[in-house]
Amino acid sequence: MGGKVFFYTDTNNLDIDAIVELPGGKWSIFEIKLGGFENIKKSLINIDRFLKKVNDFKKKQLISINVITAGSESFLMKTNNGLNVNVIPLDQLYIDS
């Protein structure tokens, strides 16, 4: 696919675990939170803080927001700004061969 993987961190203790950008500029956010539901909620706050720093043009190219967890169920949550977030358990990220 030719994509790139980045991470974001700044001096205000804001970080994003992975940003995947595809050719053409479409991109996704991935946070990895293995410590339970409260950590998932914290990641949503982090994502909102991060997106305040992103310009409008780049925001329009955002195709998904994802939180990878140690849980056992996939579900959808929303950030405080109303954006959909896919919560994906780690055990669903494997290839059964």
Side-chain angles (χ1 to χ4, degrees):
M1 289 181 101
K4 297 177 183 177
V5 178
F6 304 94
F7 70 93
Y8 178 86
T9 188
D10 69 16
T11 57
N12 294 318
N13 238 5
L14 174 60
D15 68 76
I16 297 293
D17 295 326
I19 299 166
V20 178
E21 184 176 33
L22 300 176
K26 292 185 178 184
W27 60 292
S28 295
I29 296 171
F30 292 86
E31 283 280 85
I32 301 165
K33 299 297 179 205
L34 303 179
F37 193 72
E38 288 302 314
N39 282 334
I40 294 170
K41 290 196 300 188
K42 288 178 186 175
S43 72
L44 301 182
I45 294 167
N46 224 24
I47 290 165
D48 276 338
R49 287 178 54 212
F50 171 72
L51 288 173
K52 286 180 183 176
K53 297 176 176 264
V54 176
N55 70 48
D56 289 338
F57 176 77
K58 197 66 183 167
K59 281 182 192 174
K60 290 178 183 175
Q61 295 179 305
L62 178 63
I63 55 175
S64 70
I65 303 171
N66 310 277
V67 178
I68 299 170
T69 72
S72 59
E73 294 182 34
S74 293
F75 55 94
L76 189 66
M77 292 185 74
K78 290 195 179 280
T79 66
N80 288 334
N81 291 328
L83 299 173
N84 289 333
V85 177
N86 304 303
V87 179
I88 308 162
L90 189 59
D91 67 355
Q92 291 186 5
L93 298 177
Y94 72 94
I95 298 173
D96 191 11
S97 52

